[in-house]
Amino acid sequence: MEAELSSPGAGVPTLPQPVRGDRVRPGGGSSFHSMWRELLPVGRHPDSRGYRRFAWTGADAECRDWFREQAEGRGLGYEVDRNGNQWAWLGDPAAGNAVVTGSHLDSVPDGGAFDGPLGVVSSFAALDELRARGAGFTRPLAIVNFGDEEGARFGLACVGSRLTAGHLTVEQAHRLTDGDGITLPQAMAAAGHDPDAIGPDPERLARIGAFVELHVEQGRALDLSGDQVGVASAIWPHGRWRFDFRGEANHAGTTRLVDRRDPMLSYAETVLAARREAELAGAVATFGKIAVEPNGVNAIPSLVRGWLDSRAADQATLDTVVGGIEKAAREYAEAHGIDLAVVRESFTPVVEFDHALRDELGRILGRDTGLTVPVLGTGAGHDAGILSGSIPTAMLFVRNPTGVSHSPAEFAAEDDCVAGVEALADVLEGLACA
Ligand SMILES: [Zn+2]
């Protein structure tokens, strides 16, 4: 699907083409359109129509050039930090208590246009909107593009913010390698960034009083509630579990059904149990990857290994869901004479966004309308989640009627994007202006 703004699938741009580097910047809505159209072709694959903006590649460099042009075109102080994150400053960074907004410009393989870029483009547009309003800033304001958020190339998400927050050591980062055997330091150096400079950046974080990330919603909660914009409550706890079902390999033609110890049956029943448990709890559970041995068409498997990804709004619910799936799996395995081992391979606890900042956003956004802004949890990770342990962070979500994410079908309507810009401008004005 074409990622145009006017409607899903719209083909020919109907808005005037922008002049690159144009210094005349009217309010946020119109500058949003110009910037959006500038970025739209960058890194888009002609066949899939999805985006391939991977960290430290040519497409990434084009996105980063675009960011620098936006910063310099607005007279903002531009800098790249030690971890390759880009910053555009209005006011003196050293003054402290800065309000920071932004997101990321990289993508997953064949990703959509909105995940990441919507937040960065909306940040510049919100600044334009505030300038058009004649807002007076009492705190420094910065717009940030965090590097390598999706982790598409080196297999680890949020590398830029993890390094900055000290959640990823330099040694761990230096060992990251892409599919072609190129290490992160090699890729950084090839792109002109010093890989020996990377590391924790507490001084930079100490300048920041609040970070607000606007992001396209990666689900349909706002579509279902009829709201254009929402505020994030928390990032759901999530984890991965490996289920090893071991039976007995045998001939698919000569082995009577009653004589079989077929682990595929227990696995299949467990997949259905995962769906049932998740539905009952209002959570999600997915078996998206499977390995079978000996993996022959005419062989009863000896081993079926399935990976469960499960996420829920809180820890107790997630424990209930995964516990229920494991209990069901053990019952099915026993019934079929199968040995079962369950291993938790990774786990990320709940990330609660700063309550005071979240409530402040709700107050600011409800001020004119008197309406209550919806507060949503999310099952996806973000830089704002990584930074939430170091500084007060919050997120705004913009409606995505398809609910699809990490795919070219990801979408946000023009009106909703503009509503997002206005909401972000209101938030920044409420936080950073007199
Ligand atoms: Zn994102």
Side-chain angles (χ1 to χ4, degrees):
M1 186 183 298
E2 182 88 359
E4 296 293 347
L5 270 171
S6 48
S7 68
V12 181
T14 53
L15 293 164
Q17 290 299 309
V19 179
R20 224 170 150 83
D22 185 357
R23 283 173 181 271
V24 180
R25 304 264 175 197
S30 55
S31 77
F32 178 89
H33 297 306
S34 306
M35 288 185 279
W36 192 257
R37 296 219 175 279
E38 282 181 10
L39 261 185
L40 211 49
V42 180
R44 183 162 57 181
H45 195 269
D47 297 334
S48 69
R49 310 298 283 166
Y51 288 87
R52 299 181 183 181
R53 296 166 173 165
F54 308 139
W56 307 111
T57 61
D60 189 45
E62 270 193 77
C63 289
R64 294 169 67 86
D65 287 347
W66 174 89
F67 183 97
R68 182 176 43 75
E69 283 172 23
Q70 298 307 315
E72 292 175 352
R74 288 172 174 78
L76 303 174
Y78 172 74
E79 59 178 348
V80 179
D81 69 23
R82 59 187 300 184
N83 297 310
N85 307 306
Q86 295 178 293
W87 300 78
W89 285 93
L90 178 71
D92 180 9
N97 199 27
V99 176
V100 178
T101 185
S103 190
H104 61 95
L105 293 174
D106 69 321
S107 78
V108 296
D110 287 331
F114 295 84
D115 181 348
L118 183 65
V120 178
V121 172
S122 295
S123 296
F124 283 113
L127 173 59
D128 296 340
E129 170 69 20
L130 291 180
R131 283 175 160 172
R133 290 180 191 175
F137 290 87
T138 55
R139 297 166 71 177
L141 179 80
I143 297 170
V144 61
N145 168 33
F146 280 110
D148 199 3
E149 195 273 349
E150 297 288 8
R153 183 170 176 189
F154 297 100
L156 179 68
C158 301
V159 169
S161 57
R162 275 184 210 272
L163 280 167
T164 299
H167 294 189
L168 175 68
T169 67
V170 175
E171 294 72 31
Q172 288 168 328
H174 278 187
R175 283 198 297 269
L176 293 173
T177 306
D178 73 7
D180 295 325
I182 298 170
T183 64
L184 177 65
Q186 288 169 335
M188 277 187 159
H193 188 83
D194 178 8
D196 294 325
I198 65 172
D201 206 344
E203 288 172 14
R204 178 168 297 274
L205 291 176
R207 296 171 179 172
I208 303 171
F211 174 56
V212 180
E213 180 172 1
L214 179 146
H215 205 277
V216 67
E217 194 197 348
Q218 293 166 292
R220 290 190 59 223
L222 291 173
D223 189 47
L224 294 170
S225 68
D227 293 286
Q228 292 180 294
V229 176
V231 176
S233 56
I235 296 177
W236 289 10
H238 58 275
R240 292 176 182 184
W241 291 262
R242 195 185 76 224
F243 284 60
D244 289 349
F245 297 88
R246 290 182 191 278
E248 184 178 38
N250 214 329
H251 196 289
T254 60
T255 315
R256 297 189 311 158
L257 294 179
V258 293
D259 294 334
R260 297 182 182 201
R261 290 176 55 223
D262 183 351
M264 188 64 84
L265 296 177
S266 314
Y267 171 71
E269 288 170 322
T270 302
V271 173
L272 298 176
R275 171 70 182 226
R276 201 168 52 240
E277 292 290 333
E279 274 180 346
L280 282 171
V284 289
T286 310
F287 278 97
K289 180 178 169 182
I290 183 173
V292 181
E293 292 178 11
N295 207 24
V297 177
N298 58 356
I300 297 161
S302 58
L303 169 71
V304 175
R305 176 170 285 162
W307 280 266
L308 170 70
D309 175 307
S310 189
R311 307 166 192 228
D314 57 73
Q315 184 67 54
T317 305
L318 184 59
D319 289 345
T320 301
V321 170
V322 177
I325 296 168
E326 182 172 345
K327 180 169 179 286
R330 294 203 179 281
E331 287 169 5
Y332 299 136
E334 196 176 332
H336 296 293
I338 301 299
D339 296 324
L340 172 65
V342 180
V343 179
R344 190 177 83 175
E345 290 196 332
S346 69
F347 185 74
T348 307
V350 66
V351 173
E352 286 273 351
F353 289 110
D354 187 84
H355 287 198
L357 183 59
R358 184 189 73 195
D359 293 348
E360 178 70 11
L361 261 57
R363 262 194 302 279
I364 292 168
L365 295 176
R367 195 177 283 159
D368 293 337
T369 60
L371 296 173
T372 307
V373 179
V375 179
L376 333 165
T378 173
H382 298 283
D383 293 312
I386 300 292
L387 297 181
S388 67
S390 307
I391 53 175
T393 61
M395 291 190 75
L396 292 175
F397 290 123
V398 172
R399 177 163 58 187
N400 171 5
T402 68
V404 173
S405 181
H406 289 181
S407 145
E410 176 184 281
F411 183 69
E414 181 174 358
D415 284 357
D416 292 348
C417 292
V418 172
V421 170
E422 284 171 2
L424 183 59
D426 290 346
V427 163
L428 299 178
E429 187 171 27
L431 294 175
C433 298

